Amino acid sequence: MQKYIKIPIFFLSLLPILIIFYQIIFNQLGPEPVKEITHVTGNWTLRFIIITLAMTPLQKFTKLNFWISYRRMFGLFVFFYASSHMMTYVGIDYRFDWSSISDDIVKKKFIFAGFLAWLLLVPLALTSSKRMIRLLRDKWKKLHKLIYIISLLGIIHYLWLVKVVTVEPLIYLIIIVILLMLRVKMKFN
Amino acid sequence: MKKYKQSEITPEKIYKKRRKFIKSIGLGMSSLSLSTIPFLNKGYSQNKNELTSYEDITTYNNYYEFGTGKGDPFKNSQEFVTKPWSVTIEGEVDNPITLSAEEIISLFPSEERVYKLRCVEGWSMVIPWMGFSLSKLLNKVSVKNSAKFVEFESIYDPLQMKGQKYPVLNWPYREGLRIDEAMHPITTVVTGLYGKALPNQNGAPLRIFVPWKYGFKSAKAIVKIKLVENMPTSSWMRSSPREYGFYSNVNPNVSHPRWSQATERVIGEGIFSPRIETEMFNGYGDEVANLYSDMDLKKNF
């Protein structure tokens, strides 16, 4: 049963990037297409971080186990959208102009936070297979707690980037803080 | 806003053709005639860049009074009432005065001025503004010697401007220039663009445009021009003094604390066109560099 749900969820999760491809082909990304792609992929990264972080609390509260079986897929979508986001910036926006990019990483704290967040995602993506879970056991659990730091870096990345703080990053911030606090609460219960 | 019949509006393609034609006359007759057509042959647009499309200029705006999204100003400003409209010029002047927008527009004939707009966010447009030098307006009120700065105040009307219901910025929007900057001939009072009246989302009925500074220095929908002795505090300076200086000249060598200013993206280009290098004073250094000859522009950013 779960498999039948997983496949549509997988394709649903791909929808944002498919929409972007459609918009690129039919030229519907507006006057500043590169920025638009950067923003959309960045937004979806944060949304998938939230979805991923929501799985464990949902399992605890609903006492239904199936939530957890989606967690890895959503986590990999975090990595997928974060990588698309970064590749848009590195490849399309800055055309692999490494001197400008490294200059940005050092000087711009929002780029630094974003880059660090992506870097921390890499080991999580690499150790996401069942084999690695078995191999690493307790260490795997510890390692994957990095997602808490990544989620905070991600939202800081967004907050530092905007000229004035608007509703959207604040909503993300609030949800992420709630999801992290639930974990503290679950730990003490 | 005056309603234009469809037939009155010059289609963009024809408009561009006409401009080319005028330019070619200028070139053909003599180099002298070219240099006497004001601003037609100025800098950037001529050799480097095409005009940005009317659609992009009027649908991609930073105008937080109508919302923080780029498409918000177009969406939320269509019902904005700009009639009646008055502009007060006061402060350190001999003859303070209040004029209606119509009076100002009819007193000072507008001419076409093609200038590049460079936003602090790292994008640019080339816009065929209509307008006249702010100095003409200021000379009308006889500015006193004590006036060292000019402060611009935009309209405050949260009923019509839904963005003003939120404290995103310190409303009303304020900006300022040093008196010599304000008196510079390329500092423009904008009355229109693409040969038409100024659309609401671009700052109707009257806005300022300062070509060599980041876009936010050019206040929209102005209601007050105040000549003052001391450097005014702009809305953006108040919001983040570390990030937005009073001068805010376009300067590729001074990074914004959060992003680089070395390059910019040209609005309307496809996703595979590269960024272009940002020019000092947005390419208007020949005209304005002398205003800052004895200043450290890294300190006075």
Side-chain angles (χ1 to χ4, degrees):
Chain A
M1 177 62 195
Q2 268 174 45
K3 258 192 189 151
Y4 297 111
I5 301 176
K6 217 170 195 171
I7 292 165
I9 289 180
F10 175 83
F11 283 105
L12 213 58
S13 304
L14 272 180
L15 207 56
I17 200 87
L18 295 177
I19 291 172
I20 291 175
F21 281 130
Y22 173 86
Q23 287 172 320
I24 291 174
I25 293 163
F26 292 97
N27 202 13
Q28 292 183 345
L29 286 162
E32 217 182 344
V34 179
K35 196 187 230 173
E36 185 65 19
I37 299 171
T38 314
H39 284 180
V40 172
T41 48
N43 266 326
W44 279 103
T45 307
L46 279 166
R47 287 172 197 161
F48 275 102
I49 285 177
I50 287 171
I51 294 171
T52 310
L53 284 178
M55 292 303 114
T56 309
L58 279 172
Q59 182 219 17
K60 291 268 153 65
F61 292 127
T62 60
K63 307 235 175 355
L64 293 167
N65 268 325
F66 71 89
W67 298 105
I68 286 298
S69 62
Y70 301 132
R71 195 175 58 179
R72 170 174 44 191
M73 184 173 76
F74 288 136
L76 284 169
F77 271 113
V78 172
F79 184 65
F80 174 70
Y81 281 103
S83 302
S84 315
H85 180 62
M86 205 191 61
M87 284 313 292
T88 309
Y89 163 74
V90 169
I92 303 180
D93 201 355
Y94 279 87
R95 310 188 136 211
F96 304 100
D97 173 4
W98 297 113
S99 70
S100 295
I101 292 163
S102 51
D103 194 53
D104 259 9
I105 293 173
V106 181
K107 283 193 190 146
K108 311 286 169 295
K109 53 182 186 174
F110 90 92
I111 301 267
F112 179 79
F115 182 71
L116 186 62
W118 179 80
L119 216 57
L120 294 177
L121 276 172
V122 175
L124 303 199
L126 289 177
T127 58
S128 63
S129 67
K130 280 198 176 117
R131 213 174 72 98
M132 289 307 275
I133 297 174
R134 252 181 282 124
L135 218 68
L136 294 169
R137 272 184 252 162
D138 284 356
K139 280 186 211 139
W140 188 92
K141 271 200 161 171
K142 261 187 204 149
L143 179 65
H144 281 250
K145 291 218 161 82
L146 273 179
I147 192 65
Y148 306 148
I149 295 168
I150 292 165
S151 66
L152 290 174
L153 282 171
I155 191 63
I156 287 169
H157 167 70
Y158 194 173
L159 285 168
W160 275 346
L161 138 88
V162 291
K163 252 160 76 179
V164 290
V165 176
T166 48
V167 185
E168 204 171 354
L170 280 181
I171 291 174
Y172 290 150
L173 175 69
I174 292 166
I175 298 176
I176 286 176
V177 168
I178 290 172
L179 288 170
L180 293 184
M181 274 166 36
L182 282 176
R183 283 172 165 77
V184 179
K185 198 175 161 252
M186 287 186 294
K187 205 175 174 183
F188 285 105
N189 279 353
Chain B
M1 210 179 99
K2 191 185 163 198
K3 286 262 188 292
Y4 284 81
K5 273 188 254 153
Q6 196 59 35
S7 58
E8 284 179 282
I9 297 172
T10 315
E12 194 178 318
K13 274 206 181 113
I14 296 176
Y15 185 89
K16 281 182 178 169
K17 254 190 214 148
R18 273 190 208 155
R19 291 192 62 253
K20 250 187 209 151
F21 177 67
I22 295 168
K23 264 189 203 170
S24 67
I25 295 178
L27 281 165
M29 280 166 44
S30 72
S31 58
L32 186 87
S33 72
L34 213 166
S35 58
T36 50
I37 301 174
F39 306 103
L40 208 57
N41 53 329
K42 274 274 143 61
Y44 202 84
S45 63
Q46 195 183 29
N47 40 26
K48 284 185 199 158
N49 235 320
E50 285 271 308
L51 294 181
T52 306
S53 74
Y54 183 79
E55 194 194 338
D56 285 351
I57 293 171
T58 55
T59 55
Y60 195 77
N61 308 97
N62 272 329
Y63 195 170
Y64 285 5
E65 281 88 336
F66 289 115
T68 51
K70 295 284 186 291
D72 290 347
F74 170 72
K75 259 188 294 177
N76 300 331
S77 72
Q78 296 312 309
E79 307 294 311
F80 183 59
V81 181
T82 56
K83 251 178 191 176
W85 192 281
S86 59
V87 179
T88 303
I89 309 172
E90 58 175 39
E92 303 296 310
V93 297
D94 287 330
N95 319 305
I97 193 172
T98 297
L99 292 165
S100 72
E102 287 90 346
E103 281 173 303
I104 293 174
I105 290 167
S106 62
L107 270 171
F108 307 98
S110 289
E111 59 193 7
E112 186 190 63
R113 296 182 164 202
V114 176
Y115 291 134
K116 190 163 73 117
L117 165 79
R118 169 61 158 80
C119 178
V120 73
E121 295 166 349
W123 53 263
S124 63
M125 292 180 177
V126 179
I127 304 175
W129 299 109
M130 303 297 297
F132 58 89
S133 296
L134 172 64
S135 60
K136 288 188 186 165
L137 183 57
L138 293 180
N139 286 335
K140 196 174 168 58
V141 294
S142 313
V143 174
K144 285 184 189 166
N145 277 336
S146 52
K148 300 285 184 267
F149 293 91
V150 185
E151 184 182 67
F152 304 99
E153 191 181 301
S154 301
I155 193 169
Y156 179 70
D157 188 352
L159 284 179
Q160 287 203 76
M161 298 175 131
K162 61 192 244 183
Q164 286 182 333
K165 289 177 187 154
Y166 310 96
V168 239
L169 282 173
N170 192 269
W171 309 117
Y173 195 87
R174 279 175 219 278
E175 257 309 335
L177 293 171
R178 209 169 59 188
I179 191 74
D180 56 341
E181 296 176 326
M183 286 296 190
H184 194 284
I186 71 172
T187 300
T188 305
V189 177
V190 171
T191 59
L193 55 85
Y194 263 113
K196 304 173 201 176
L198 194 61
N200 288 341
Q201 62 272 28
N202 295 86
L206 293 170
R207 69 171 291 173
I208 303 298
F209 188 70
V210 194
W212 70 96
K213 291 174 183 281
Y214 294 119
F216 68 87
K217 288 298 292 179
S218 299
K220 302 182 185 81
I222 49 165
V223 291
K224 198 191 279 179
I225 300 174
K226 196 173 179 185
L227 285 292
V228 292
E229 285 176 57
N230 299 316
M231 183 186 283
T233 307
S234 71
S235 293
W236 279 108
M237 286 162 76
R238 193 164 300 226
S239 145
S240 182
R242 206 174 55 87
E243 296 182 30
Y244 306 101
F246 176 78
Y247 289 96
S248 290
N249 294 319
V250 174
N251 187 344
N253 309 314
V254 176
S255 286
H256 182 278
R258 292 182 291 147
W259 54 78
S260 165
Q261 294 293 20
T263 58
E264 67 204 41
R265 207 157 249 302
V266 179
I267 292 296
E269 304 260 308
I271 71 162
F272 297 113
S273 55
R275 288 170 165 268
I276 60 168
E277 286 188 7
T278 292
E279 291 176 275
M280 188 68 204
F281 298 117
N282 202 21
Y284 301 97
D286 289 349
E287 288 90 342
V288 300
N290 61 327
L291 298 177
Y292 311 99
S293 47
D294 52 355
M295 273 174 71
D296 179 353
L297 291 175
K298 285 204 168 137
K299 257 183 222 154
N300 299 286
F301 60 89

